[in-house]
């Protein structure tokens, strides 16, 4: 693949089983939307950091295990899709993408979420289903705009007591696109499980507000 001749290109979609992105991608200074999903990428060129106008980036369905730290320059990014990769640790550069409102991390190898996730204060949708999360950081409860939190199909046994601060999570969600908290197919411990079964999210939040939880 070679970049379009017009350096003013704003949208680019590549789905041709690419094994790598050329460093020349960085020449597309005005690029705002980049879809490079369903390829065979094992890494992302550091030069992508030069595309500082990017607002939407999809690298889903590849073979990525990390992102270059240079991508911390993508401060205008609003939507990032890294689902269906081999990521075991959330790349530190994501903490600098403070304009993110949508972060899709499903079907990776994550076992935890870092404390620096608290810096994503604009985040409204966080999808982490199908990973190996064992617990949730208290920092996650500091995201004031979060409306959809999908934690389905993980290894979560308990939740932070501070979870009730996520007041925009208004219900226990079932459909994948529903706003709210998604928490099915986790080995939840008895107090949390019983609260959810007894009265849904409002009951869980009441339980946590009263001092329940393991933290």
């Amino acid at each position: 693949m070679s970049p379009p001749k017009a350096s003013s290109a704003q949208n680019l979609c590549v789905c041709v089983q690419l094994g790598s992105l050329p460093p020349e991608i960085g020449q597309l200074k005005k690029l705002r939307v980049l879809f490079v999903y369903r390829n065979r990428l094992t890494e992302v060129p550091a030069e992508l950091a030069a595309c500082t106008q990017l607002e939407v980036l999809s690298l889903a369905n590849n073979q990525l295990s990390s992102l270059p730290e240079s991508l911390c320059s993508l401060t205008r990014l609003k939507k990032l899709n890294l689902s269906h990769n081999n990521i075991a640790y959330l790349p530190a550069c994501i903490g600098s993408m403070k304009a993110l409102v949508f972060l899709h991390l499903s079907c990776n190898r994550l076992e935890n979420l870092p404390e620096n996730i608290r810096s994503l204060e604009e985040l409204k949708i966080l999808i982490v289903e199908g990973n190996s999360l064992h617990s949730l950081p208290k920092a996650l409860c500091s995201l004031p705009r979060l409306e959809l939190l999908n934690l389905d199909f993980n290894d979560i046994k308990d939740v932070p007591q501070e979870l009730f601060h996520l007041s925009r999570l208004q219900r226990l969600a079932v459909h994948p696109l529903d706003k709210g908290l998604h928490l099915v197919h986790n080995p939840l411990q008895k107090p949390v499980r019983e609260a959810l079964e007894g009265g849904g999210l409002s009951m869980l939040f009441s339980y946590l507000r009263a001092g329940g939880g393991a933290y």
Side-chain angles (χ1 to χ4, degrees):
M1 176 201 126
S2 59
K5 292 181 179 179
S7 60
S8 60
Q10 296 188 11
N11 302 281
L12 182 60
C13 180
V14 183
C15 182
V16 291
Q17 292 297 299
L18 278 182
S20 63
L21 272 177
E24 289 82 7
I25 191 75
Q27 296 175 12
L28 304 180
K29 305 293 186 183
K30 297 185 179 181
L31 197 62
R32 292 190 177 185
V33 178
L34 177 59
F35 286 89
V36 197
Y37 58 92
R38 294 181 183 173
N39 286 281
R40 294 181 288 105
L41 302 182
T42 58
E43 60 182 18
V44 175
E47 288 81 2
L48 183 62
C51 301
T52 55
Q53 302 298 309
L54 266 180
E55 296 179 1
V56 179
L57 175 60
S58 176
L59 296 165
N61 294 87
N62 279 285
Q63 300 169 23
L64 301 173
S65 58
S66 65
L67 295 179
E69 286 307 309
S70 61
L71 296 195
C72 64
S73 65
L74 302 183
T75 55
R76 296 194 180 190
L77 205 60
K78 295 180 179 180
K79 297 183 179 181
L80 176 60
N81 189 341
L82 295 172
S83 63
H84 295 86
N85 276 286
N86 298 318
I87 297 172
Y89 302 96
L90 196 64
C93 61
I94 290 180
S96 300
M97 300 173 181
K98 297 183 179 181
L100 281 178
V101 297
F102 174 93
L103 179 57
H104 198 339
L105 298 164
S106 71
C107 300
N108 275 284
R109 296 168 47 225
L110 294 169
E111 294 188 6
N112 58 66
L113 295 173
E115 290 292 329
N116 71 351
I117 200 169
R118 71 170 68 245
S119 64
L120 305 182
E121 295 185 356
E122 300 300 317
L123 200 63
K124 293 183 177 181
I125 297 176
L126 176 59
I127 304 173
V128 207
E129 68 173 322
N131 280 276
S132 300
L133 297 181
H134 304 302
S135 62
L136 303 174
K138 293 181 181 179
L140 182 66
C141 306
S142 302
L143 302 179
R145 300 182 183 275
L146 207 58
E147 298 176 353
L148 190 161
L149 176 58
N150 192 333
L151 302 166
D152 290 346
F153 295 95
N154 276 282
D155 188 39
I156 298 169
K157 298 177 176 62
D158 209 333
V159 296
Q161 182 180 341
E162 295 81 0
L163 193 70
F164 71 85
H165 291 303
L166 299 179
S167 59
R168 294 200 180 189
L169 298 179
Q170 297 185 356
R171 60 178 174 173
L172 196 61
V174 178
H175 189 279
L177 298 180
D178 282 350
K179 291 182 180 179
L181 176 65
H182 298 248
L183 202 53
V184 300
H185 298 286
N186 280 281
L188 296 170
Q189 292 180 352
K190 187 175 181 180
V192 174
R193 186 181 70 251
E194 288 185 343
L196 288 171
E197 292 174 350
L201 191 58
S202 61
M203 180 70 77
L204 175 63
F205 278 7
S206 295
Y207 164 73
L208 296 174
R209 194 177 290 112
Y215 297 91

